Amino acid sequence: MEESGGDSGSVATPVQQRAHEAWRIYQHYLDKTTPHANYRWIGTLVVALIYCLRVYYIQGFYIIAYGLGIYLLNLLIGFLSPLVDPEAGGVSDGPTLPTRGSDEFKPFIRRLPEFKFWYSMTKAFCIAFLMTFFSVFDVPVFWPILLCYWIVLFVLTMRRQIAHMIKYKYIPFSFGKQKYGRSSSGSRAD
């Protein structure tokens, strides 16, 4: 019997080659979706609707829905948070948010970028949907208590996040190009 040497790792089996090729194709199409944010989010809403309809019609898997809700809340907080937390107090090496009027403008950089937010959310809905096909995940729970607890958790978490946004004067959204006052020439581009 021959022992494998250190250089045998470079030779891939046919299964590994097929898996790698499949991953490259998947990554290619995923990369092509990057500039199409509206279509990506519409697709995620369709996946979420299918998941919600499945949970509604089979009247079960509420614990999966609760776990999904907690995970999505965590993603949302990452999406709304700056990359560098101003409360850390200058310990960072990266860009920071301006905290005084005299500070120069620094763009808002998210801790979780939009593409990763969308991708993680879509994967979470797909995994939760697949979990509804296995009865081992259908733990009997009283769902109104889970729903109330999730709502309380959401409200408290968002209140804290909004207070943080007000305290450090940042808005995690941009609404297109900033418009300035009308020019003195009187020309309008209506």
Side-chain angles (χ1 to χ4, degrees):
M1 197 190 271
E2 214 175 283
E3 292 196 26
S4 62
D7 60 357
S8 66
S10 63
V11 178
T13 66
V15 172
Q16 290 173 330
Q17 289 173 345
R18 294 273 185 197
H20 181 68
E21 184 62 29
W23 177 256
R24 285 186 41 185
I25 292 170
Y26 170 75
Q27 192 63 45
H28 171 74
Y29 285 112
L30 188 63
D31 291 343
K32 286 179 80 169
T33 66
T34 303
H36 307 290
N38 290 336
Y39 295 121
R40 284 190 282 121
W41 283 105
I42 289 170
T44 298
L45 288 175
V46 168
V47 170
L49 180 65
I50 291 170
Y51 168 75
C52 291
L53 287 173
R54 172 138 175 93
V55 168
Y56 176 76
Y57 282 121
I58 60 178
Q59 296 290 311
F61 297 95
Y62 300 119
I63 199 77
I64 301 297
Y66 177 72
L68 176 64
I70 296 293
Y71 180 71
L72 294 179
L73 180 60
N74 185 28
L75 289 176
L76 181 64
I77 293 302
F79 180 70
L80 296 176
S81 298
L83 179 64
V84 179
D85 191 1
E87 287 181 349
V91 188
S92 67
D93 296 331
T96 59
L97 292 171
T99 55
R100 296 180 304 275
S102 63
D103 286 350
E104 69 180 70
F105 171 74
K106 295 181 178 118
F108 181 78
I109 302 171
R110 300 179 189 285
R111 187 172 53 174
L112 182 66
E114 183 270 337
F115 185 81
K116 289 184 179 179
F117 178 56
W118 164 79
Y119 185 63
S120 297
M121 183 181 281
T122 305
K123 270 195 321 188
F125 273 111
C126 290
I127 290 169
F129 180 75
L130 290 175
M131 289 174 80
T132 62
F133 290 99
F134 301 98
S135 62
V136 70
F137 298 116
D138 192 11
V139 178
V141 293
F142 188 60
W143 67 266
I145 289 177
L146 286 180
L147 180 62
C148 289
Y149 182 65
W150 186 84
I151 290 171
V152 167
L153 190 64
F154 178 80
V155 168
L156 292 176
T157 305
M158 292 312 297
R159 186 171 69 182
R160 183 179 61 86
Q161 185 68 30
I162 291 170
H164 189 271
M165 289 166 28
I166 291 170
K167 181 178 179 181
Y168 293 101
K169 299 178 178 107
Y170 67 91
I171 299 173
F173 303 105
S174 63
F175 301 103
K177 186 176 179 181
Q178 186 174 1
K179 294 182 174 60
Y180 298 99
R182 200 179 307 204
S183 65
S184 61
S185 65
S187 63
R188 294 177 73 180
D190 288 348

